[in-house]
Amino acid sequence: QVQLVESGGGLVQAGDSLRLSCAASGRTFSGYVMGWFRQAPGKEREFVAAISWSLGNTNYADSVKGRFTISRDVAKNTVYLQMNSLKPEDTAVYSCAAAFGLFASNLRSTYDYWGQGTQVTVSS
């Protein structure tokens, strides 16, 4: 049973930084892709970033390129999302997701497993 548990969310001011963590368990994630998605109130869930567990290649939404960095720690089975220069429009529930595959997909339908999410609120 795959489990994904996010942590690290909170309330910050515009321009601040946060690091989200996603602790993954239940299987070996070699050959998997890990992604971060977010959903703001009244909006659809949108892609933020993804990383291939085995290859390490990454993919980012245009809105976060240059500000967010996704990484993984294989030994700890954990994926991180470092968020810098946060903006009020980054406010959302951020969820971690996992899918079998080698390439860092930005498609929600690719992902089979989802965490519960962690709230990020950025005040102006």
Side-chain angles (χ1 to χ4, degrees):
Q1 181 83 4
V2 173
Q3 283 195 315
L4 304 173
V5 180
E6 303 94 337
S7 62
L11 171 63
V12 296
Q13 293 187 329
D16 285 350
S17 298
L18 273 178
R19 188 177 79 158
L20 305 184
S21 300
C22 172
S25 62
R27 64 158 298 118
T28 301
F29 288 92
S30 175
Y32 270 65
V33 172
M34 308 298 290
W36 284 98
F37 289 77
R38 66 186 182 186
Q39 187 168 21
K43 294 189 176 181
E44 298 224 341
R45 182 177 284 178
E46 65 174 4
F47 170 74
V48 176
I51 186 168
S52 168
W53 194 270
S54 299
L55 301 179
N57 61 294
T58 58
N59 188 11
Y60 295 93
D62 289 342
S63 59
V64 306
K65 275 181 185 175
R67 299 188 299 123
F68 291 11
T69 302
I70 188 171
S71 62
R72 84 270 193 242
D73 186 326
V74 175
K76 294 183 179 180
N77 253 22
T78 300
V79 177
Y80 302 99
L81 185 67
Q82 177 67 43
M83 306 186 295
N84 299 329
S85 302
L86 282 161
K87 304 175 181 179
E89 50 264 44
D90 293 319
T91 295
V93 174
Y94 284 71
S95 298
C96 178
F100 182 73
L102 288 176
F103 300 103
S105 173
N106 62 351
L107 300 175
R108 280 183 300 172
S109 58
T110 300
Y111 294 84
D112 303 306
Y113 305 100
W114 293 83
Q116 292 296 316
T118 185
Q119 176 71 47
V120 172
T121 303
V122 185
S123 63
S124 56

